[in-house]
């Protein structure tokens, strides 16, 4: 397939062309020959130099793919990656995910992952397929680990979205697809598990079109389904593939079975029609009813996929070793190489102006630290190199902190095994040892001051009080919490000012349980865990004025500060949670005290008077004030601001906000009534109800405070057949009745303290 039309013409064509020039007279011929020879040798030297320089990175970049494998939990992502590693020769035997053989999948390197059979961290690995280098990041499918998925997608050029042929498009598939859209990642879809009972790839394809709004079509047709699943038909080259050998390693091509010719013709026409809707070159052929060759169709699919206008759909069964090799071919054929993707950086020297990165190794070094791990030899930092070259022993600069650091060791990762390398160029994913940084930091060679756009980090929705069982393990306890915080931006640690307990916050029960468990295993720290607490917020609903004078005389210089203004709620959908505006005209308050006033208001907003939770969506405007030549100080104005806020807070009619979760349940239809009744009891609002075969899929918005222990009650209601996933949606105001209960409970706990 003519994939690289812009590559330079080979130098032998130039020599052939030059040698055809003949001169008339022998003397002239000699002189001209000598001149031509000199001119040619200069030109060919320049061309040879250019030839040497261009392929150095052009060919290497054209043959590089950075891909992620994302999906809903239990769709078979890690199983698929295990097969990919086996067929590309990176591993020599296949192990299953739940580690029945005591080994577990290669990409699940933590003991905890092998036990629970879920992927917690994104493991990075690379492999070679048909002379192409493929970097693969295996991402978690569980919603509590979405930050891992976000980080992986941030640095990828393309992705495989795995869908289960029985479960179809599930809640997490939608979340992952939304994240891919946000980071503009071109993708191919893979409908897995065609060997299972109830497999229906065409139902899944229609769901992808309806729920994910994918402009997609199948590029393969399965031969048989469920236990009769034998192989695949390639609609582009119109041939069959059967997978022989103990692990499906021998791919045998053949002709289309006679009874499937009509279906194949229909599906191929549908594929051409769907692609031609988004590709002008193919549309012309389609409208003129001209035959479309395999190469033309392949090129059109590639153009449309890279432009994110089309999603080719592959099929197979990773567990039964069928369909993985054609999927790898599809990754090479349809997903972009690093130079075909637009990446932007923010120029810190030019007011954060967006700069398009060339993506070539010739430019200045720009690399993003997208993941940190505490390894055996210190901190391991995963880097995606966007531009330039990074070499072992080079000095690089962390733009976020301004520190100059030497690269002591550069490695290429294969899950938790390492391979030392001397250098890495743009488009590659590598890891570096011994560099102190945070997740999301940008590194350059110092010639530019670019930062990559920051990743969006969701706010934690659940907190737990933890403390070590024995007093002796306090050091290890804090070491573990520090490491987890560095690795995971959604994991927060704080102190409860009233009880003095350590509070950890995260994205859900499983998220926090995993960290408590990791603390026990990796740091030998047993911790006692308190009752989960919901991260409530407070906000105001109307404008309220304040005018407060803080005056204190205690011998010597006293304290004097007066602040006047108003507080008001921010308009809905504001990006900022807190705004402070100084609208004082003149010098009623010296400008040096204004930051202290803002600090005082911020401090006061950290703890609302209803239940002591932070106040957000708040705008404070300072309109007037007064100061004293001697007694005014930063402390006086800070205290004035704190008391002013407390006084006007009640007048602003505060309300409590609670996190509301989007819950998706899949239950057999006979239990639908019971489950819906239980959701109503939990003050949930049902927003959607679909039928999928014998199952009902219910979507509801439920307050997180009412969701504790839900998995147990769902199991008992549905005889263990129901499953649910939930993710954070938004903070919403609670009802008056709930607000009164929460305020009373807060006051009672304060009274007992």
């Amino acid at each position: 397939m003519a994939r690289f039309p812009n590559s330079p013409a080979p130098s032998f064509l130039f020599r052939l062309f030059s040698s055809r020039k003949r001169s008339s007279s022998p003397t002239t011929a000699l002189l001209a020959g000598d001149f031509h020879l000199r001119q040619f040798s200069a030109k060919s030297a320049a061309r040879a130099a250019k030839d040497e320089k261009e392929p150095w990175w052009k060919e290497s970049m054209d043959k590089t793919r950075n891909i992620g494998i994302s999906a809903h939990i239990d769709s078979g992502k890690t199983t698929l990656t295990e097969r990919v590693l086996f067929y590309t020769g990176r591993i020599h035997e296949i192990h299953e995910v739940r580690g029945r053989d005591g080994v577990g999948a290669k990409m699940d390197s933590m003991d905890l992952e092998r036990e629970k059979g879920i992927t917690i961290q994104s493991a990075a690995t690379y492999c070679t397929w048909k002379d192409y280098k493929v970097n693969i990041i295996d991402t978690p499918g569980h919603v509590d680990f979405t930050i891992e998925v976000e980080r992986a997608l941030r640095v990828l050029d393309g992705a495989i979205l795995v869908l289960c042929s029985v479960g179809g498009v599930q809640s997490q598939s939608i979340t992952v697809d939304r994240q891919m859209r946000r980071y503009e990642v071109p993708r191919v879809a893979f409908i897995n598990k065609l060997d299972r009972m109830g497999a229906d790839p065409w139902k899944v394809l229609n769901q992808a079109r309806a729920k994910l709004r994918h402009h997609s079509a199948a590029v393969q047709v399965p031969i048989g389904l469920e236990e009769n699943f034998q192989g695949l038909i390639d609609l582009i080259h119109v041939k069959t593939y059967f997978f022989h050998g103990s692990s499906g390693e021998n791919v045998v091509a053949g002709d289309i079975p006679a009874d499937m010719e009509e279906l194949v013709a229909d599906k191929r026409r549908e594929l051409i029609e769907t692609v031609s809707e988004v590709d002008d070159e193919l549309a012309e052929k389609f409208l003129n009813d001209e035959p479309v060759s395999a190469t033309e169709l392949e090129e059109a699919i590639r153009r449309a996929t890279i432009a994110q206008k089309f999603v080719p759909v592959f099929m197979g069964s990773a567990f039964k070793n069928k369909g993985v090799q054609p999927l790898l071919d599809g990754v090479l054929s349809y997903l972009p190489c690093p130079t075909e993707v637009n990446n932007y950086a923010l120029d810190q020297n030019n007011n954060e102006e967006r700069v398009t990165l060339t993506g070539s190794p010739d430019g200045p070094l720009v690399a993003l630290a997208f993941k940190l791990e505490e390894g055996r030899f210190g901190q391991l930092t995963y880097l995606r190199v966007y531009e330039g070259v990074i070499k072992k022993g080079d000095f690089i600069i962390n733009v976020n902190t301004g520190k100059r650091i030497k690269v002591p060791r550069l490695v290429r990762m294969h899950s938790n095994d390492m391979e030392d390398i001397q250098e890495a160029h743009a488009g590659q994913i590598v890891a570096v040892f011994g560099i102190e940084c945070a997740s999301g930091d940008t590194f350059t060679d110092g010639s530019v001051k670019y930062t990559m756009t920051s990743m969006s980090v969701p706010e934690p929705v659940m907190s737990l009080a933890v403390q070590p069982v024995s007093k002796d393990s306090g050091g290890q306890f804090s070491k573990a919490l520090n490491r987890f915080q560095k690795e995971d931006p959604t994991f927060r640690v704080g102190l409860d000012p009233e009880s003095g307990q350590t509070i950890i916050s995260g994205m859900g029960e499983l998220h926090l349980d995993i960290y408590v468990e990791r603390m026990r295993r990796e740091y030998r720290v047993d911790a006692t865990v308190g009752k989960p607490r919901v991260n409530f917020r407070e906000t105001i609903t109307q404008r309220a004025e304040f005018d407060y004078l803080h005056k204190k005389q205690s011998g010597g210089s006293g304290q004097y500060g007066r602040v006047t203004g108003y507080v008001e709620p921010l308009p809905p959908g504001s990006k900022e949670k807190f705004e402070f505006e100084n609208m004082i005209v003149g010098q009623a308050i010296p400008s040096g005290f204004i930051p202290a006033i803002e600090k005082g208001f911020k401090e006061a907003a950290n703890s609302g008077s209803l239940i002591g939770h932070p106040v957000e969506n708040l705008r404070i405007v300072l309109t007037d004030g007064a100061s004293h030549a001697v007694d005014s100080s930063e402390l006086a104005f800070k205290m004035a601001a704190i008391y002013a806020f407390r006084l006007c807070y009640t007048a602003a009619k505060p309300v409590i906000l609670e996190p509301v979760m989007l819950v998706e349940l899949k239950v057999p239809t006979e239990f639908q009534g019971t489950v819906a009744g239980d959701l109503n009891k939990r003050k949930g609002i049902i927003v959607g109800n679909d039928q999928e075969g014998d199952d009902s899929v219910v979507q509801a918005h439920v307050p997180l405070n009412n969701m504790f222990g839900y998995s147990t009650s769902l199991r008992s209601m549905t005889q263990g057949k129901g499953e649910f996933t939930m993710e954070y949606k938004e903070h919403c105001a609670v009802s008056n009745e709930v607000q009164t209960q929460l305020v009373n409970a807060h006051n009672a706990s304060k009274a007992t303290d």
Side-chain angles (χ1 to χ4, degrees), residues 113 251 261 267 357 359 398 430 436 560 590 639 677 690:
E113 292 181 333
V251 183
E261 279 175 1
K267 292 292 179 190
L357 297 175
N398 183 336
V430 290
E436 274 299 311
Y560 185 98
M639 297 309 292
D690 289 329

Side-chain angles (χ1 to χ4, degrees), residues 371-413:
K371 184 162 190 279
L372 311 176
E373 264 178 31
E374 200 69 37
R376 292 188 295 275
F377 313 105
Q379 184 173 300
L380 183 66
T381 308
Y382 284 84
L383 289 181
R384 158 74 202 256
V385 186
Y386 283 100
E387 197 169 279
V389 177
I390 184 169
K391 293 180 182 166
K392 183 180 172 180
D394 272 5
F395 281 96
I396 56 174
I397 286 168
N398 183 336
V399 180
N400 299 59
T401 61
K403 284 184 184 167
R404 190 163 177 259
I405 310 153
K406 188 177 182 181
V407 180
R409 188 178 169 200
L410 205 57
V411 294
R412 190 181 275 139
M413 292 306 291

Side-chain angles (χ1 to χ4, degrees), residues 515-529:
Y515 278 119
V516 172
E517 184 71 7
R518 276 185 66 190
M519 211 183 294
R520 190 173 67 75
R521 291 188 180 219
E522 293 170 36
Y523 289 89
R524 305 275 184 274
V525 176
D526 277 317
T528 51
V529 179

